[in-house]
């Protein structure tokens, strides 16, 4: 697929994004004559991140792209030859040059699905050598994406559906790839957009942002705009000197706030005027470069009211330091009094955005006030060698009650017939020694076939479609499972046949 036809391809992972031991094991399989042996591996996690009761599955789109494009180039093979033993049979490297994923099949949870411990997010089957080489990159693509999406979903649950959440973490991201992944999958998890323009260009993430403190501090107040004139929003009437109009409004605002006209910082005001001239329909003030109360607020209000005279409406303010909740509350109070004083009703409810290292605890404090937030963490979705793994090729189903409530997920061997709605089913909840019976009103298969023998089976949903699906998925969680602190654990159970196989192999010491 040409790069211009697939812009996301520019962000695709490369085949050697893997661990050295994957290559050494591949050589071992080849030497043992097992390269074409059928194999399957699963990616799953054992505990939900952040102490929660759920995760969101993400990264499938990147995995499918990686699998379909997988080929070792000459440079890749030459590097492998340099790190493997010098007496490695050259025929092995010829084998690597011919590798592709034409024999690989991928089943996975759709992106945005609720995922629970032990339930596979991804199943990959195919020739043993190829599947081994795919394991690390697919794990890498799924784990971080799912972590970011889950974190974003938790923040969305705290903020509620109406607040606007923005991801602004690019400058502190784990490198360019980590930054792009975080921006992409925070959007999938429920954020409204990102400051990351590459995520907008390659992934279609809505981009947003205004100005930084550096813009404001670059102005001293002595600058003279080359053209301070601004036409009315309606396009009719004479152009007005915005800077002069702002100075007039500053006197009125300072009089109302009990401030001297010399207190607001001149450079900050000049920066606001310059930004308003460039973006009169999208003017937003960053209030805390100097003093919110004595400078940022009066300067913003002077510019906003000057724009209002010309028919423009400022879009909001941002706070980036200090006690964000207290400052937001005080700022809202000032907006209300100024709105009443100068008869500008829209100013009373103008959005107040907050940023700067906001975690779940801080967001909970701000939930009634904020309109934007950013942040990103990390989780490893991998197999713990100290714990049992579940044997065999498996299928997974979600059982629902008559009201659509989630009852539990059940894992069973792929060869077993699927559970049937309305029929009683005996299952073994994981972590317990007792079975239970359940009669689901509805049954949903969880793992869908996306790639078969290297070919895409159905079009992948767009990022926006996966984002909408994630929100629908989260809405199905019960309040007890949605709770962010001490949530009820969601049940994942084994079928009788799978449980019997586990017990039999455990007794033999085969697990």
């Amino acid at each position: 697929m040409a790069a211009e036809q697939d812009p996301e391809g520019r962000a695709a992972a490369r085949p050697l994004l893997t661990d050295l031991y994957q290559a050494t094991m591949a050589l071992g399989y080849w030497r043992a004559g097992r390269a074409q042996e059928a194999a399957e591996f699963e990616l799953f996690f054992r505990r939900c991140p952040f102490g929660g009761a759920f995760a969101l599955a993400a990264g499938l789109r990147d995995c499918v792209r990686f699998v379909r494009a997988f080929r070792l180039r000459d440079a890749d093979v030459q590097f492998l030859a340099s790190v493997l033993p010098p007496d490695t049979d050259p025929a092995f490297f010829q084998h690597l040059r011919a590798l592709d994923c034409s024999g690989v099949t991928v089943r996975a949870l759709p992106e945005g699905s609720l995922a629970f411990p032990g339930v596979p997010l991804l199943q990959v089957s195919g020739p043993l050598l190829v599947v081994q080489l795919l394991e690390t990159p697919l794990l890498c693509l799924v784990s971080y994406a799912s972590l970011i999406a889950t974190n974003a979903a938790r923040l969305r649950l705290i903020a509620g559906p109406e607040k606007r959440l923005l991801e602004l973490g690019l400058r502190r991201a784990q490198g360019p790839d980590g930054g792009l992944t975080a921006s992409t999958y925070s959007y999938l998890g429920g954020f409204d957009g990102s400051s990351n323009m590459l995520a907008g260009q390659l992934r279609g993430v809505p981009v947003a942002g205004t100005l930084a403190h550096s813009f404001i501090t670059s102005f001293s107040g002595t600058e003279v705009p080359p053209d301070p004139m601004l036409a009315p929003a309606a396009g009719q009437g004479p152009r007005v000197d915005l800077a002069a109009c702002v100075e007039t409004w500053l006197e009125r605002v300072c009089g109302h706030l009990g401030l001297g006209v010399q207190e607001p910082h001149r450079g900050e005001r000049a920066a606001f005027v310059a930004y308003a001239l460039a973006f009169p329909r999208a003017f937003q003030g960053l209030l805390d470069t100097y003093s919110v109360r004595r400078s940022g607020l009066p300067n913003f209000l002077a510019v906003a009211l000057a724009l209002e005279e010309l028919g423009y409406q400022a879009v909001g303010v941002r706070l980036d330091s200090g006690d964000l909740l207290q400052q937001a509350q005080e700022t809202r109070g000032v907006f209300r009094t100024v709105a009443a004083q100068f008869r500008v009703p829209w100013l009373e409810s103008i959005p107040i955005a907050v940023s700067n290292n906001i975690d779940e605890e801080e967001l909970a404090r701000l939930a009634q006030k904020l309109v934007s937030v950013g942040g990103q963490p990390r989780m490893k979705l991998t197999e713990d060698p100290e714990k049992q793994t579940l044997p065999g090729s498996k299928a997974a189903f979600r059982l629902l009650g008559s009201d659509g409530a989630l009852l539990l997920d059940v894992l069973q061997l792929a060869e077993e017939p699927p559970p049937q709605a309305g029929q009683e089913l005996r299952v073994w909840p994981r972590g317990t020694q007792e079975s239970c019976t359940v009669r689901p009103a509805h049954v949903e298969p969880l793992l869908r076939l996306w790639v078969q023998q290297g070919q895409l089976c159905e079009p992948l949903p767009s990022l926006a479609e996966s984002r909408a699906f994630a929100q629908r998925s989260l809405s199905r969680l019960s309040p007890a499972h949605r709770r962010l602190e001490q949530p009820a654990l969601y049940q994942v159970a084994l079928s009788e046949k799978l449980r019997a196989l586990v017990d039999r192999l455990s007794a033999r010491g085969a697990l």
Side-chain angles (χ1 to χ4, degrees):
M1 188 179 294
E4 59 270 16
Q5 295 175 323
D6 179 28
E8 290 185 77
R10 293 165 54 187
R14 293 171 59 175
L16 289 193
L17 182 70
T18 190
D19 298 300
L20 175 60
Y21 67 65
Q22 304 287 19
T24 61
M25 287 188 286
L27 175 57
Y29 292 139
W30 183 82
R31 286 293 303 272
R34 300 181 61 200
Q36 298 300 322
E37 187 175 311
E40 179 178 304
F41 76 85
E42 297 175 340
L43 305 182
F44 63 92
F45 60 95
R46 297 189 180 279
R47 283 183 292 273
C48 291
F50 317 117
F54 71 91
L56 278 187
L60 173 64
R61 191 177 187 86
D62 295 332
C63 290
V64 169
R65 177 173 287 102
F66 178 80
V67 167
R68 297 187 69 204
F70 182 86
R71 288 299 295 262
L72 288 164
R73 301 171 301 172
D74 285 343
D76 300 326
V77 176
Q78 289 168 11
F79 178 78
L80 286 171
S82 74
V83 297
L84 290 173
D87 59 350
T88 300
D89 189 334
F92 173 66
F93 299 113
Q94 288 302 112
H95 181 80
L96 293 182
R97 285 187 172 91
L99 285 181
D100 60 23
C101 288
S102 59
V104 171
T105 294
V106 177
R107 291 179 173 82
L109 296 178
E111 281 199 300
S113 296
L114 290 171
F116 300 102
V119 178
L121 284 79
L122 193 75
Q123 289 178 334
V124 181
S125 58
L128 177 58
L129 189 150
V130 174
V131 165
Q132 190 70 68
L133 292 176
L134 294 177
E135 182 183 37
T136 292
L138 295 185
L139 180 61
C140 175
L141 292 171
V142 168
S143 62
Y144 188 52
S146 297
L147 176 74
I148 292 295
T150 302
N151 184 58
R154 288 169 62 86
L155 293 169
R156 170 55 70 193
L157 289 174
I158 294 172
E162 302 301 325
K163 300 295 189 296
R164 182 169 166 79
L165 302 181
L166 300 177
E167 185 273 324
L168 310 173
L170 179 59
R171 290 184 294 171
R172 295 176 177 83
Q174 289 89 347
D177 292 338
L180 180 61
T181 300
S183 300
T184 300
Y185 291 105
S186 62
Y187 175 66
L188 184 147
F191 275 42
D192 294 287
S194 170
S195 63
N196 187 342
M197 290 200 295
L198 189 62
Q201 181 188 29
L202 300 185
R203 301 292 181 86
V205 176
V207 294
T210 52
L211 69 164
H213 293 291
S214 58
F215 180 83
I216 294 173
T217 57
S218 73
F219 286 82
S220 66
T222 60
E223 298 83 3
V224 178
D227 182 9
M229 310 300 287
L230 183 64
Q236 298 178 345
R239 300 170 75 223
V240 173
D241 186 329
L242 182 64
C245 188
V246 166
E247 294 301 319
T248 300
W249 270 108
L250 182 68
E251 292 187 19
R252 300 179 65 183
V253 169
C254 287
H256 174 71
L257 298 179
L259 299 172
V261 293
Q262 299 304 315
E263 291 187 65
H265 196 283
R266 292 177 59 202
E268 180 182 59
R269 189 161 62 257
F272 285 175
V273 169
Y275 197 82
L277 286 168
F279 300 97
R281 300 181 189 278
F283 173 61
Q284 182 174 4
L286 178 57
L287 302 186
D288 62 319
T289 304
Y290 301 108
S291 165
V292 174
R293 174 77 181 182
R294 297 192 308 275
S295 185
L297 263 174
N299 279 332
F300 169 78
L301 287 166
V303 176
L305 291 168
L307 287 172
E308 204 273 340
E309 275 194 345
L310 293 171
Y312 300 99
Q313 185 172 314
V315 298
V317 297
R318 181 161 68 96
L319 298 166
D320 191 51
S321 62
D323 187 326
L324 298 174
L325 177 59
Q326 180 179 342
Q327 289 189 119
Q329 291 172 332
E330 292 174 353
T331 298
R332 178 64 68 203
V334 170
F335 285 159
R336 285 171 178 156
T337 65
V338 172
Q341 173 70 22
F342 299 112
R343 298 181 181 178
V344 184
W346 59 262
L347 186 58
E348 182 176 349
S349 58
I350 192 171
I352 300 174
V354 296
S355 54
N356 189 26
N357 297 324
I358 296 174
D359 56 18
E360 290 183 5
E361 182 178 353
E362 180 68 7
L363 180 55
R365 294 180 66 234
L366 293 163
Q368 301 306 313
K369 299 291 177 182
L370 75 89
V371 294
S372 66
V373 67
Q376 50 182 329
R378 174 180 303 182
M379 176 181 73
K380 186 178 183 182
L381 290 168
T382 188
E383 308 219 340
D384 182 347
E386 298 179 356
K387 302 289 181 67
Q388 284 189 345
T389 58
L390 295 174
S393 180
K394 291 177 286 298
F397 298 89
R398 184 156 294 156
L399 310 186
L400 298 90
S402 57
D403 59 353
L406 308 187
L407 300 178
L408 56 82
D409 287 5
V410 61
L411 297 174
Q412 63 179 51
L413 295 173
E415 65 204 44
E416 296 183 67
Q420 297 298 311
Q423 293 185 7
E424 192 172 89
L425 183 68
R426 187 174 184 228
V427 296
W428 294 79
R430 300 194 70 185
T432 70
Q433 297 301 316
E434 301 293 333
S435 65
C436 67
T437 57
V438 60
R439 189 188 298 272
H442 307 282
V443 177
E444 294 179 354
L446 294 179
L447 298 169
R448 289 170 60 177
L449 182 64
W450 297 99
V451 175
Q452 187 168 35
Q453 300 298 305
Q455 299 299 311
L456 190 65
C457 297
E458 62 175 294
L460 290 166
S462 69
L463 183 62
E465 290 169 336
S466 295
R467 178 180 183 271
F469 178 65
Q471 295 308 302
R472 293 196 301 272
S473 299
L474 290 168
S475 70
R476 302 171 70 188
L477 277 174
S478 72
H481 295 129
R482 192 182 303 167
R483 196 165 56 231
L484 301 184
E485 293 185 5
Q486 300 182 330
L489 296 181
Y490 183 82
Q491 277 195 339
V492 175
L494 309 185
S495 68
E496 281 199 278
K497 192 169 184 178
L498 179 55
R499 174 59 185 252
L501 178 61
V502 169
D503 290 343
R504 186 166 65 250
L505 293 177
S506 296
R508 296 177 185 172
L511 286 180

